[in-house]
Amino acid sequence: MKKLCIFCGSSTNVAQNHLDLGKEVGHLLAEKNIGLVYGAGSTGVMGSLADSVLEKGGKVWGVIPDFMIPWEVCHQNLTDLKITKTMHERKQIMYDYSDGFVALPGGLGTMEELCEILTWRQIGTHEKHVWILNPNGFYDGLMDHFKKLHHERFVSDEHLELIQERNDMNEIVSEFLNGEII
Ligand code: AMP
C-alpha cells in the first residue's frame, strides 16, 4: 500500500472549513487505498483527517514521542501506533514510512515539518514528492515568500520546483498514484 505523510494543524481553535478539509482529504485517501502516516494526534485537522480515513475503512500509521502523548491527545484507534523517545526519531520514522508528503493548513509544527522535508529533498536525503495543498489561498503568503527567496536567488530554479503547490487534493492523489516511488 502506498502511504502519504500528511502534515497539518493540531489546534482545535480553528475555523470549521479547515476541519472539513481534513475530513474530505481523509475520505479521499481511504477511497483511493492510500495509507496515512501522521503525527498520531486526535485534535484539530490532524484528528479530523485520521478519523475520516478510519471511518471509511482506511489505514493510519501514527508516530508520536512518548512525552507528547498527553499534550497532543494521542489517537486511540489507529491501525498502527509507533511511540518514540524523541521528536527526531518520530520524524525520521514518519519520513521513512512514507512515499510522499503533503502539507495541509497548520501552524508552526506543520511549517517546521514541511520546510524540513523540503530541505531534505534539496540536499538529496530523499527523492519523494512534496506537495502543498493550498485551498482558498491559505498558503498564498507562504508561496509568495518562497517566490521571493527564489527572486533574491537564495533558492535555485531547480529547488523552487520541488515545492509543488496544488489547489485540489484530487490532483495530488492522481500525481502520487501515477508517479514512481523512488
Ligand atoms: P501544529 O501545526 O503546530 O499544530 O503542529 C502539527 C504537528 O507538528 C503536531 O503533530 C506537532 O507535534 C508537530 N510539531 C510541533 N512542533 C514540532 C517541531 N518542532 N518539529 C516537528 N514537529 C513538530
Side-chain angles (χ1 to χ4, degrees), residues 5-68:
C5 180
I6 301 207
F7 309 130
C8 57
S10 56
S11 172
T12 50
N13 197 23
V14 296
Q16 187 61 39
N17 64 307
H18 297 308
L19 304 175
D20 292 346
L21 177 76
K23 189 168 176 175
E24 216 177 281
V25 168
H27 285 167
L28 185 62
L29 295 185
E31 198 181 294
K32 300 287 184 184
N33 198 32
I34 296 170
L36 168 67
V37 177
Y38 86 123
S42 64
T43 62
V45 183
M46 293 175 78
S48 69
L49 173 69
D51 286 345
S52 61
V53 174
L54 295 166
E55 184 179 280
K56 294 275 181 195
K59 293 202 172 5
V60 183
W61 284 259
V63 190
I64 193 166
D66 52 8
F67 69 92
M68 285 186 90

Side-chain angles (χ1 to χ4, degrees), residues 3 17 37 39 47 53 69 76 94 96 99 117 132 136 171:
K3 299 188 202 72
N17 64 307
V37 177
V53 174
I69 291 176
Q76 296 301 310
M94 284 168 65
D96 289 346
D99 304 300
I117 205 64
I132 295 179
N136 308 316
E171 246 183 290

Side-chain angles (χ1 to χ4, degrees), residues 86-138:
T86 66
M87 188 63 111
H88 283 100
E89 207 189 330
R90 174 205 223 183
K91 292 193 291 183
Q92 184 72 57
I93 291 173
M94 284 168 65
Y95 302 167
D96 289 346
Y97 274 9
S98 309
D99 304 300
F101 305 90
V102 183
L104 263 52
L108 294 177
T110 304
M111 293 296 89
E112 197 273 348
E113 292 169 320
L114 169 65
C115 288
E116 180 174 64
I117 205 64
L118 282 168
T119 58
W120 284 19
R121 173 81 201 243
Q122 186 173 270
I123 61 172
T125 304
H126 69 89
E127 294 191 326
K128 300 168 186 176
H129 289 274
V130 182
W131 291 272
I132 295 179
L133 181 61
N134 186 14
N136 308 316
F138 179 85

